[in-house]
């Protein structure tokens, strides 16, 4: 495929329109693949060339609505691919796929423009050192630590807290690190984009953020390219400014879905469950550019909608293959009030090796998983026969597991207005210390609720004291 950034300009005509698919004829210079051409009465329709049919005709996908377009209209070849703005001027701003500012703050300045189609960094430039990226979220940092410069997936169905978890990580990244956060909304609702912009502004972290949106009502071509536009911005901060970048994508399934729509409209034969036959290639073109180099790193966290909670769906399977960590959100845990609703037994990371996180962290994570797994097996016996029928050792294990589950809950900064609880970011050392003390039964005599929605383990003592005082006050009032 020809990826030239400039070529002789030429004028063609529209020969066929089928929804977002437009066929064009050029009698002079034929546009190269990925070239952007414009047509319409005011050149408002933007089309990206995806296929050269013969020496005179090309087929493209419209990135804007095609209403009012008709055969015979003139088409102008811009001679360049789709470009995104890069530079410090993008910070605190919100963009669409074309690099237009959509936050009502006027045009952006102090930026350069780069093609969204780039190559991944060569192996010689990549860093081979394995480092943990700390999030301040207890259950993630202990059981499924993220890799610096790696890719982590947030798997879950609708309504289990993927977007809330992403926004919390943005807050913690900007608050504790000197890096830049880039939020890419693929197929997002406009309500979610507006709420995120307002929340980040109120949290005071907008100055180190860039937001790029391809909204749900936009054509599939726009949704398909918005991820590459955000990645191009992230590469500038990594390669030119040598900064740490946190790239959050919500939702990577919408990227695959948009590619599936385009594939069907372009007439390609579908593969299993109707997905495009090029699903692996298209996803790799995006994922392989997210990497850790010697001068900076792009750490990506991607929400992955799982259709019908089916993890054998091709979209989920292909996404899994690129990830260094998988965070599976459980609808059952969300229903029980355990937030974040990360499933400790289904989630995992390749960073939990002893040589990476250290022996103490490694052994504690294994023991915590063992306790929680045994508790999951005992739940059926407890439901049928009751807790009293278990042995003394099993009852102690159940107590440890229930306290661990509650300790893994955490109040978020981004949900303070809803929960009324002050957000907490917990260092990994405090998380390890808290789990170790719970597994040693130091909190055996504490009420389970004392460990629910706290930060460090030291807060459990204070919370237990407050609850005990409140109970004694209520009892004395009842006695009167």
């Amino acid at each position: 495929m020809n990826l030239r950034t400039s070529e002789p300009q030429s004028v063609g005509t529209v020969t066929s329109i089928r929804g977002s698919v437009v066929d064009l004829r050029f009698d002079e210079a034929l546009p190269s693949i990925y070239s952007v051409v414009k047509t319409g009465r005011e050149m408002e329709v933007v089309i990206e060339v995806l296929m050269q049919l013969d020496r005179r005709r090309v087929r493209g996908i419209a990135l804007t609505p095609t209403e009012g377009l008709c055969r015979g209209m003139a088409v102008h070849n811009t001679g360049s691919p789709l470009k995104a703005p890069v530079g410090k001027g993008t910070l605190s701003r919100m963009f669409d796929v074309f690099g237009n500012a959509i936050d009502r703050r006027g045009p952006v300045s102090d930026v350069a423009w780069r093609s969204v189609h780039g190559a991944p960094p060569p192996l010689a430039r990549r860093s081979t050192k394995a480092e943990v990226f700390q999030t301040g979220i207890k259950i993630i940092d202990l059981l499924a630590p993220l890799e610096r410069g790696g890719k982590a997936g947030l798997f879950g169905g609708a309504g289990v807290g993927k977007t809330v978890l992403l926004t919390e990580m943005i807050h913690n990244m900007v608050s504790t690190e000197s890096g830049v956060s880039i939020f890419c909304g693929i197929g997002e609702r406009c309500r979610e984009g507006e709420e995120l912009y307002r929340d980040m502004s109120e949290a005071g972290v907008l100055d180190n953020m860039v937001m790029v949106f391809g909204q749900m009502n936009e054509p599939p071509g726009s949704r398909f390219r918005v991820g590459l536009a955000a990645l191009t911005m992230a590469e500038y901060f990594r390669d030119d400014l040598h900064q740490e970048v946190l790239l959050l994508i919500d939702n990577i399934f919408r990227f695959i879905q948009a590619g599936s729509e385009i594939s069907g409209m372009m007439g390609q034969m579908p593969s299993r469950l109707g997905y495009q036959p090029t699903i692996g290639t298209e996803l790799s073109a995006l994922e392989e550019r997210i990497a850790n180099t010697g001068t900076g790193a792009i750490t990506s966290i991607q929400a992955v909608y799982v259709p019908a909670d089916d993890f054998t769906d091709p979209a989920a399977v292909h996404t899994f293959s690129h990830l260094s960590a998988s965070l599976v959100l459980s609808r059952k845990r969300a229903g029980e009030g355990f937030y974040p609703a990360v499933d400790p037994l289904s989630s995992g990371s390749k960073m939990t090796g002893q040589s990476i996180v250290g022996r103490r962290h490694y052994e504690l994570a294994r023991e915590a998983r063992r306790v929680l797994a045994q508790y999951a097996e005992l739940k059926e016996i407890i439901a049928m026969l009751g807790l009293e029928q278990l042995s003394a050792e099993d009852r102690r294990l159940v107590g440890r597991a229930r306290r661990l589950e509650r300790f893994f809950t955490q109040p978020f900064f981004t949900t303070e207005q809803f929960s009324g609880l002050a957000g907490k970011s917990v260092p990994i050392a405090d998380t390890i210390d808290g789990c170790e003390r719970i597994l040693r039964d130091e909190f055996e005599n504490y009420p389970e609720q004392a460990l629910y929605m706290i930060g460090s383990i030291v807060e459990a003592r204070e919370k237990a004291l407050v609850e005990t005082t409140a109970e004694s006050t209520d009892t004395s009032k009842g006695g009167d």
Side-chain angles (χ1 to χ4, degrees):
M1 291 185 177
N2 190 351
L3 298 182
R4 290 179 295 165
T5 57
S6 63
E7 58 189 26
Q9 297 216 1
S10 58
V11 178
T13 56
V14 176
T15 60
S16 173
I17 308 156
R18 298 182 303 280
S20 292
V21 177
V22 184
D23 287 357
L24 313 166
R25 180 181 178 87
F26 288 84
D27 292 324
E28 298 177 13
L30 199 67
S32 61
I33 300 296
Y34 296 154
S35 289
V36 170
V37 299
K38 295 185 177 182
T39 183
R41 289 183 172 82
E42 298 179 0
M43 295 295 150
E44 75 280 6
V45 180
V46 181
I47 300 169
E48 184 181 55
V49 175
L50 293 184
M51 188 183 297
Q52 294 177 338
L53 301 176
D54 54 36
R55 291 186 298 175
R56 293 286 181 267
R57 295 183 304 137
V58 296
R59 179 170 293 168
I61 191 78
L63 307 183
T64 55
T66 55
E67 286 87 351
L69 199 62
C70 61
R71 286 182 295 176
M73 278 188 169
V75 181
H76 290 271
N77 178 17
T78 65
S80 64
L82 185 66
K83 293 184 176 181
V86 298
K88 291 185 177 180
T90 60
L91 292 173
S92 80
R93 304 301 300 270
M94 183 189 292
F95 299 93
D96 62 11
V97 69
F98 304 107
N100 302 318
I102 54 174
D103 51 9
R104 299 182 182 179
R105 290 167 50 191
V108 67
S109 58
D110 190 27
V111 295
W113 293 81
R114 291 183 183 173
S115 168
V116 302
H117 302 284
L123 287 175
R125 282 190 55 218
R126 298 194 182 215
S127 173
T128 56
K129 185 179 179 182
E131 297 179 65
V132 172
F133 178 84
Q134 294 192 26
T135 65
I137 299 171
K138 291 180 288 189
I139 191 168
I140 295 177
D141 287 344
L142 183 78
L143 298 181
L146 308 186
E147 179 186 12
R148 177 180 175 268
K151 296 172 278 285
L154 275 178
F155 290 83
V160 294
K162 295 188 298 297
T163 303
V164 171
L165 197 54
L166 286 182
T167 53
E168 182 70 9
M169 289 182 185
I170 291 176
H171 182 279
N172 292 352
M173 167 72 174
V174 175
S175 301
T176 60
E177 304 281 344
S178 59
V180 173
S181 292
I182 296 180
F183 184 92
C184 174
I186 304 177
E188 284 288 275
R189 302 167 185 85
C190 59
R191 169 186 61 79
E192 293 174 335
E194 188 274 333
E195 288 175 356
L196 176 67
Y197 183 86
R198 188 176 65 244
D199 292 343
M200 294 298 101
S201 179
E202 291 174 356
V205 299
L206 198 60
D207 290 344
N208 288 307
M209 271 194 72
V210 182
M211 283 182 259
V212 191
F213 283 94
Q215 294 179 33
M216 190 174 282
N217 63 315
E218 294 181 5
S222 175
R223 287 180 271 123
F224 192 55
R225 292 303 184 212
V226 71
L228 298 181
L231 186 52
T232 302
M233 297 180 185
E235 287 172 334
Y236 167 81
F237 290 105
R238 179 192 67 189
D239 300 334
D240 292 38
L241 300 186
H242 303 159
Q243 287 186 290
E244 298 293 312
V245 184
L246 179 62
L247 174 63
L248 300 115
I249 301 177
D250 188 7
N251 187 301
I252 199 69
F253 172 78
R254 305 294 178 199
F255 170 80
I256 296 173
Q257 191 179 48
S260 178
E261 292 179 47
I262 292 172
S263 175
M265 290 188 291
M266 296 291 286
Q268 293 179 333
M269 183 71 70
S271 63
R272 194 164 73 90
L273 297 184
Y275 286 100
Q276 63 271 40
T278 53
I279 180 174
T281 307
E282 291 169 357
L283 189 60
S284 297
L286 175 73
E287 299 283 9
E288 290 302 308
R289 291 168 63 183
I290 301 170
N292 181 5
T293 67
T295 55
I298 299 175
T299 302
S300 176
I301 302 170
Q302 306 166 8
V304 185
Y305 169 69
V306 181
D309 291 343
D310 177 16
F311 285 88
T312 64
D313 187 90
V317 171
H318 279 276
T319 305
F320 259 124
S321 64
H322 292 278
L323 305 177
S324 56
S326 301
L327 306 175
V328 179
L329 300 185
S330 163
R331 195 176 303 280
K332 184 174 183 295
R333 288 180 65 81
E336 292 172 349
F338 294 131
Y339 291 102
V342 177
D343 188 332
L345 301 180
S346 300
S347 304
S349 169
K350 73 173 189 180
M351 301 300 290
T352 49
Q354 185 172 324
S355 60
I356 299 174
V357 297
R359 182 171 181 176
R360 184 181 177 217
H361 183 163
Y362 170 74
E363 292 183 348
L364 271 173
R366 284 191 63 187
E367 178 64 13
R369 284 183 188 277
R370 185 190 68 81
V371 168
L372 292 171
Q374 286 187 309
Y375 174 50
E377 293 175 359
L378 291 170
K379 280 183 177 179
E380 289 186 12
I381 299 175
I382 296 170
M384 290 187 295
L385 304 177
L387 187 63
E388 297 76 15
Q389 300 302 314
L390 298 179
S391 66
E393 179 57 35
D394 283 346
R395 285 200 296 272
R396 281 196 295 273
L397 183 139
V398 169
R400 287 184 214 122
R402 290 175 63 86
R403 284 169 176 78
L404 270 179
E405 284 185 330
R406 282 149 183 79
F407 178 64
F408 284 145
T409 61
Q410 188 169 340
F412 281 174
F413 293 96
T414 52
T415 59
E416 286 181 357
Q417 57 182 325
F418 307 110
S419 65
L421 301 172
K424 302 288 173 63
S425 177
V426 184
I428 183 62
D430 290 353
T431 301
I432 292 174
D433 179 60
C435 287
E436 190 174 46
R437 293 174 66 182
I438 291 171
L439 293 171
R440 286 203 310 249
D441 289 336
E442 283 190 31
F443 295 87
E444 188 175 12
N445 298 321
Y446 279 63
E448 294 173 359
Q449 200 63 19
L451 286 89
Y452 181 71
M453 283 295 171
I454 62 172
S456 301
I457 196 68
V458 293
E459 297 177 27
R461 194 181 303 274
E462 302 166 7
K463 190 172 180 181
L465 185 62
V466 170
E467 290 181 356
T468 304
T469 304
E471 287 178 6
S472 60
T473 303
D474 292 343
T475 305
S476 62
K477 286 182 180 179
D480 293 339

